[in-house]
Amino acid sequence: MSDVSFRLRVNGVVHDVCGAWVGENLLFVLRDRLGLLGAKAGCEQGECGSCAVLVDGDLVCSCLVLAASAAGSEISTVEGLQPSEPGTFNPVQQAFLDHGAVQCGFCTPGLIVSITSLLDHNPRPTDLEIEEAISGNLCRCTDYGRILAAVRAAAGVGRD
Ligand code: FES
Ligand code: FES
């Protein structure tokens, strides 16, 4: 088995990854080597979206990305979307709280990343666009209607 060493830039911080198996996926490296536990290991097959992160601004399932291939890219995880001031939340997180869109929370980091990506590219999405954007994020315990309401609120839709 070949080992590789490389650097990852995650949320603006450079990390040296040394002696990794060449086949380690980005999700494993983020969680088990860098201690960034926001992205969750659900299906590990690209089906559930719980491991969503941004690589150079593109939404990806980190379980499907070879970590070494992300060297040189800017990686953003849900931790990087958190405001630095303790006890404060970004607008998407706050909307989830306000609309009761979190129950067990397992899917929530992936949803927050997916929705942030959506709003970055399309600040005023239609319901259909929201549904399409979160269609890759499986939630097993919260009403999707609450999630939709939270995204609408975060986008300011309906406040015109
Ligand atoms: S853990 Fe990556 S898509 Fe499910
Ligand atoms: S809140 Fe439990 S899986 Fe979504």
Side-chain angles (χ1 to χ4, degrees):
M1 271 197 247
S2 350
D3 287 349
V4 291
S5 296
F6 50 90
R7 284 188 166 166
L8 286 184
R9 187 173 171 85
V10 185
N11 304 326
V13 178
V14 175
H15 300 266
D16 287 314
V17 179
C18 299
W21 172 51
V22 70
E24 282 180 19
N25 66 35
L26 182 57
L27 175 64
F28 178 86
V29 170
L30 289 172
R31 290 181 57 84
D32 290 76
R33 291 186 180 272
L34 305 187
L36 294 166
L37 301 178
K40 299 287 184 280
C43 66
E44 299 194 59
Q45 296 180 12
E47 298 288 341
C48 74
S50 64
C51 64
V53 302
L54 303 177
V55 176
D56 291 333
D58 293 330
L59 183 67
V60 300
C61 292
S62 59
C63 67
L64 297 183
V65 175
L66 287 178
S69 74
S73 295
E74 182 66 48
I75 300 160
S76 302
T77 69
V78 71
E79 288 91 343
L81 304 178
Q82 180 75 33
S84 52
E85 194 169 331
T88 61
F89 301 99
N90 72 35
V92 179
Q93 292 171 319
Q94 188 63 54
F96 266 59
L97 291 172
D98 293 344
H99 289 79
V102 180
Q103 288 196 41
C104 79
F106 189 87
C107 68
T108 309
L111 276 164
I112 299 291
V113 172
S114 295
I115 293 161
T116 299
S117 174
L118 167 69
L119 298 182
D120 282 349
H121 294 96
N122 179 6
R124 307 287 283 180
T126 64
D127 282 358
L128 181 59
E129 288 168 334
I130 296 169
E131 288 167 7
E132 284 175 353
I134 64 172
S135 62
N137 294 90
L138 300 185
C139 176
R140 294 164 185 79
C141 50
T142 297
D143 169 9
Y144 272 92
R146 290 175 183 265
I147 295 171
L148 186 62
V151 182
R152 281 197 204 112
V157 174
R159 289 187 195 149
D160 297 333

